[in-house]
Amino acid sequence: MQIVILGLVQGAAEVLPLSGAGFSAVARSLLGISLEDGPGLYGALIQLAVVAPICMVFHRDFRNMRQSTRLRRGRLPEEVRLARRTRALLVLGTIPMLLPVALTGALNRIGQSLPRVSMLLLLGGTVLFACDKVSRGSRDARSATLADGLVVGIAQAVGCVPGLSRTGLALSAGVAMGLSPAFALRYVFYLSVPALILQATAQILLCVRGGIQFQPAYVLGMAMAALSSYGALRLLRFLVRRDAAGGFAYGMWGAGMLGLIVYLIC
């Protein structure tokens, strides 16, 4: 049952403007699971499970980016030019992820402290709340610049700190740069695929070196994570279209307060 609960919670929190590592830490504390070992192999496998629903929802966009590499001569259709531009933004925005990947061990140590994670959840909620008040832009892939891609990529890298929100910070940065919420959302999830794969790979390598073994029950948790992340992604797209995603700040605050309460009474 613990495997299922953690899979559902982390799967949804990885996609929504929440915090996968932060919500997982609070959930593990409520379930009586020690935080000393960090997210471990199971947390990394959950991140890999989340990649599949993202690719499923945005499969046309990823297909267009892949196919745009095949056309090299003559006047290119606008769709191909946009796909190439988006692919360039994707590559640039992924570069900042190399830093949190290199600091995987240090980030794990942050995630082992419930009060520290709880305080970061409160901070992350405050940032989301403030960014929700920023006026909305209207720029899309046609007018997005390399600076936009780099800023969103840096925000995503910062959001990898346990307790902060990778999706939330990256989405807020895109909107603050003047991107339309709809395009910012798509771009953030384009970036999330290599980001999640890089994070999970680094964590798995640490676990292998530490002798941590795979357990068959993890497969069930991965399936639950894939289902919850798919539903969460559909919900987030619905809320962004209606400019109603700012309420996730309250979820961050609630999780942060719950984490502090659990720490104080346990």
Side-chain angles (χ1 to χ4, degrees), residues 184-230:
L185 179 71
R186 301 183 80 88
Y187 179 53
V188 165
F189 280 105
Y190 301 157
L191 287 176
S192 70
V193 171
L196 288 168
I197 292 174
L198 286 171
Q199 274 190 288
T201 301
Q203 184 65 45
I204 289 172
L205 290 176
L206 278 180
C207 292
V208 170
R209 287 198 292 267
I212 298 177
Q213 300 294 320
F214 174 82
Q215 298 182 27
Y218 289 169
V219 176
L220 176 59
M222 293 173 68
M224 294 298 101
L227 288 174
S228 67
S229 60
Y230 179 81

Side-chain angles (χ1 to χ4, degrees), residues 27-239:
R28 281 183 287 156
S29 296
L30 289 171
L31 294 170
I33 302 174
S34 173
L35 302 183
E36 291 300 319
D37 297 327
L41 179 61
Y42 183 56
L45 293 175
I46 292 299
Q47 289 182 315
L48 290 180
V50 170
V51 171
I54 296 173
C55 292
M56 184 185 306
V57 172
F58 297 104
H59 70 278
R60 288 193 181 91
D61 299 339
F62 286 115
R63 182 190 61 196
N64 289 340
M65 281 187 269
R66 184 180 69 252
Q67 292 179 345
S68 68
T69 61
R70 302 175 183 174
L71 300 176
R72 301 183 181 276
R73 297 179 181 178
R75 183 175 177 82
L76 298 175
E78 182 181 14
E79 181 179 340
V80 175
R81 293 200 303 272
L82 290 178
R84 287 188 172 183
R85 187 180 185 86
T86 303
R87 189 182 65 212
L89 291 172
L90 173 59
V91 172
L92 180 63
T94 300
I95 293 174
M97 275 300 303
L98 296 178
L99 181 58
V101 167
L103 297 175
T104 298
L107 295 179
N108 285 347
R109 288 190 288 275
I110 294 176
Q112 291 169 1
S113 170
L114 183 59
R116 192 179 301 164
V117 170
S118 299
M119 294 301 295
L120 286 169
L121 282 167
L122 295 174
L123 174 61
T126 302
V127 173
L128 290 182
F129 183 81
C131 291
D132 186 56
K133 306 304 178 184
V134 175
S135 59
R136 305 297 190 256
S138 59
R139 294 190 295 119
D140 57 14
R142 295 176 179 83
S143 54
T145 65
L146 295 180
D148 296 327
L150 186 59
V151 169
V152 175
I154 292 173
Q156 176 181 243
V158 173
C160 292
V161 176
L164 298 181
S165 172
R166 180 178 45 77
T167 299
L169 289 183
L171 182 59
S172 297
V175 172
M177 292 293 289
L179 301 178
S180 70
F183 175 69
L185 179 71
R186 301 183 80 88
Y187 179 53
V188 165
F189 280 105
Y190 301 157
L191 287 176
S192 70
V193 171
L196 288 168
I197 292 174
L198 286 171
Q199 274 190 288
T201 301
Q203 184 65 45
I204 289 172
L205 290 176
L206 278 180
C207 292
V208 170
R209 287 198 292 267
I212 298 177
Q213 300 294 320
F214 174 82
Q215 298 182 27
Y218 289 169
V219 176
L220 176 59
M222 293 173 68
M224 294 298 101
L227 288 174
S228 67
S229 60
Y230 179 81
L233 181 50
R234 290 294 187 185
L235 173 63
L236 182 57
R237 295 182 74 187
F238 173 83
L239 293 174

